Amino acid sequence: MKKIGFLLLATAFSVSMVEAKPSKSANQAKLTTAKDSVSYAMGMEFAKSVRENISHLPGGPFNETILFEAFSKVFTNDTTALAIKQGQTGDLIQNYLRAAQEIEVEKAKAKGKLFLDENKKNPNVKVTASGLQYEVIKEGNGIRPTANDKVKVNYKGTLVDGTEFDGSKDVVFELGKVIPGWTEGLQLMRSGSKYKFYIPQELGYGARGAGTIPPYSVLIFEVELLDVARAQVAPASNGAKFQFPAYQRIER
């Protein structure tokens, strides 16, 4: 709903300032004073602003003729012939954007569900009770982490269309502080393993998305679990400590 509010404000701001649509005359405006030049420049900026904002609204293209007609009437205070009462405009725009957003949400969810339904037909893909799908690329023989442990991984993340949105090597993090699909999935792995995870949006970033990840996206991750650091109970003043056995051996 924050997105709806932003689009509503952006649209209202832009439309309230855009200059009336010019005639199709081939003659350019004569700018004889500094105020003429500023007025013309403002018109250019207002037009650019409203066009950019409208281009991001759902359901386009919008009817520019009607838009400029409404602006002209309000700008010249000719409010007697308005097709919509001015007090109704905010709700009308907000309701439109809300309905359009709901349609986009359902499309995104349906796209993800269709992908997962087809993907689980692959005999190499396993599905957990939560709906997480995974494929074993290489099975290791080390220890499995718990949600309280730290892990060291290499990974690459893509969307269902193949777009890569993230990837890194030798990353260390606490397993209980990432998206649910990772927390669950990595606990299936032994160190030395490489798995491919297909994470439903409910176990990923859901409605909020993240960075270049659109809302309600299914996420695909190739993850190599390099090492596991067991959480060790420590005095409350020091907090939890972690120990990577492999690192200990290297340091010696």
Side-chain angles (χ1 to χ4, degrees), residues 14-185:
S14 299
V15 173
S16 69
M17 295 194 299
V18 66
E19 68 169 359
K21 192 173 184 179
S23 68
K24 295 183 179 180
S25 172
N27 296 326
Q28 290 185 338
K30 294 181 180 180
L31 310 179
T32 57
T33 67
K35 186 174 290 186
D36 289 343
S37 296
V38 170
S39 298
Y40 197 89
M42 289 176 66
M44 292 173 61
E45 290 301 313
F46 296 160
K48 182 171 65 174
S49 177
V50 73
R51 184 171 296 279
E52 289 176 351
N53 280 297
I54 287 178
S55 69
H56 295 300
L57 294 174
F62 281 75
N63 191 320
E64 293 183 5
T65 300
I66 291 177
L67 186 152
F68 283 109
E69 178 185 331
F71 172 83
S72 178
K73 289 183 180 297
V74 174
F75 190 78
T76 59
N77 204 31
D78 180 17
T79 59
T80 58
L82 289 173
I84 299 172
K85 293 181 179 179
Q86 293 195 72
Q88 298 175 342
T89 55
D91 287 343
L92 192 152
I93 295 171
Q94 190 172 47
N95 290 339
Y96 174 87
L97 294 176
R98 183 184 294 110
Q101 186 180 54
E102 289 173 356
I103 291 173
E104 292 303 311
V105 165
E106 293 307 314
K107 284 182 179 179
K109 288 182 177 180
K111 179 181 177 181
K113 183 178 184 304
L114 178 61
F115 173 84
L116 292 171
D117 286 346
E118 290 298 315
N119 191 62
K120 68 183 180 183
K121 295 178 183 178
N122 182 339
N124 295 322
V125 172
K126 300 177 182 179
V127 186
T128 71
S130 71
L132 174 69
Q133 298 182 8
Y134 67 97
E135 187 176 352
V136 178
I137 299 174
K138 183 183 73 172
E139 193 66 84
N141 55 12
I143 61 173
R144 287 192 177 96
T146 71
N148 296 321
D149 296 336
K150 277 190 177 180
V151 294
K152 181 183 180 185
V153 303
N154 296 335
Y155 73 93
K156 180 177 74 171
T158 60
L159 302 176
V160 296
D161 64 1
T163 301
E164 184 173 341
F165 58 81
D166 196 10
S168 193
K169 293 185 176 182
D170 298 329
V171 179
V172 176
F173 57 87
E174 291 183 45
L175 192 52
K177 295 184 178 180
V178 291
I179 58 174
W182 270 62
T183 301
E184 178 185 355

